[in-house]
């Protein structure tokens, strides 16, 4: 949803995830409500790798309110359950990076949902996503 506040926020924070939340930058959306947005990572670790963000900007875990974190984690659970039920998926990792030292590259708090398959021996490395495959997958996973 495009709001005056949100657009100002995206510009002020120079934040790509605020711009996605505002629809200024397109995304392969899976789930959205008033507070939270979930969309496919464009350079996924595995098929169905999804990012869950609060729409309101904060940088990391420590500057996000407890109330917002509770809301976001509840959506992480909901989206993860849906992914697990929809994809071939035997388990999943939840990853949440804080600070450059920890591998955070986008300074808008986000939770990764990383689907896993038995014996996949997954290396946690971004692979360039195929846009057509991501589009088809987001159509399949949209809640
Ligand atoms: P971090 O390393 O900060 O925890 O994770 C950032 C993630 O955001 C990376 O996995 C990266 O592939 C993803 N990412 C970066 N830019 C974009 C974008 O414009 N759209 C989407 N969907 N994902 C992005
Ligand atoms: Zn932001």
């Amino acid at each position: 949803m495009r709001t005056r506040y949100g657009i100002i926020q995206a510009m002020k924070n120079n934040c790509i995830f605020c711009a996605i939340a505002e629809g200024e930058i397109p995304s392969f959306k899976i789930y959205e409500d008033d507070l939270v947005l979930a969309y496919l990572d464009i350079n996924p670790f595995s098929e169905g790798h999804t990012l869950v963000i609060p729409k309101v900007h904060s940088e990391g875990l420590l500057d996000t309110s407890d109330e917002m974190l509770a809301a976001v984690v509840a959506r992480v659970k909901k989206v993860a359950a849906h992914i697990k039920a929809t994809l071939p998926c035997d388990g999943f990792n939840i990853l949440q990076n804080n600070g450059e030292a920890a591998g955070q590259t986008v300074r808008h708090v986000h939770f990764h949902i990383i689907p896993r398959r038995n014996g996949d021996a997954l290396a946690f490395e971004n692979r360039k996503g195929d846009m057509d495959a991501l589009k088809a997958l987001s159509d399949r996973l949209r809640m």
Side-chain angles (χ1 to χ4, degrees):
M1 190 178 53
R2 199 173 284 207
T3 62
R4 190 178 162 74
Y5 169 75
I7 291 169
I8 291 167
Q9 182 183 235
M11 285 164 54
K12 191 174 125 219
N13 296 313
N14 189 22
C15 175
I16 197 164
F17 285 1
C18 283
I20 286 174
E22 279 309 305
E24 296 294 304
I25 292 178
S27 64
F28 298 111
K29 203 181 292 182
I30 290 180
Y31 174 82
E32 180 171 19
D33 61 27
D34 289 354
L35 292 175
V36 170
L37 184 65
Y39 48 94
L40 295 178
D41 195 298
I42 38 164
N43 296 310
F45 291 179
S46 65
E47 185 188 45
H49 181 171
T50 295
L51 302 172
V52 183
I53 66 164
K55 290 182 171 178
V56 172
H57 183 87
S58 55
E59 190 167 322
L61 195 80
L62 299 183
D63 68 328
T64 306
S65 72
D66 291 356
E67 293 73 21
M68 183 60 84
L69 285 174
V72 175
V73 170
R75 272 55 159 207
V76 168
K77 179 180 176 183
K78 186 183 175 97
V79 174
H82 176 71
I83 290 171
K84 189 161 186 291
T86 308
L87 291 182
C89 171
D90 302 311
F92 55 88
N93 296 100
I94 302 300
L95 177 67
Q96 201 278 309
N97 297 327
N98 293 275
E100 209 176 321
Q104 184 178 11
T105 58
V106 179
R107 293 180 170 200
H108 180 129
V109 67
H110 53 279
F111 288 77
H112 299 253
I113 302 171
I114 303 161
R116 302 296 304 271
R117 305 284 297 273
N118 288 329
D120 64 11
L122 187 72
F124 279 40
E125 285 167 8
N126 290 110
R127 289 152 216 252
K128 188 159 173 40
D130 172 322
M131 294 299 137
D132 292 337
L134 288 172
K135 165 83 177 71
L137 186 59
S138 67
D139 289 343
R140 187 168 157 213
L141 285 174
R142 191 156 307 117
M143 299 170 69

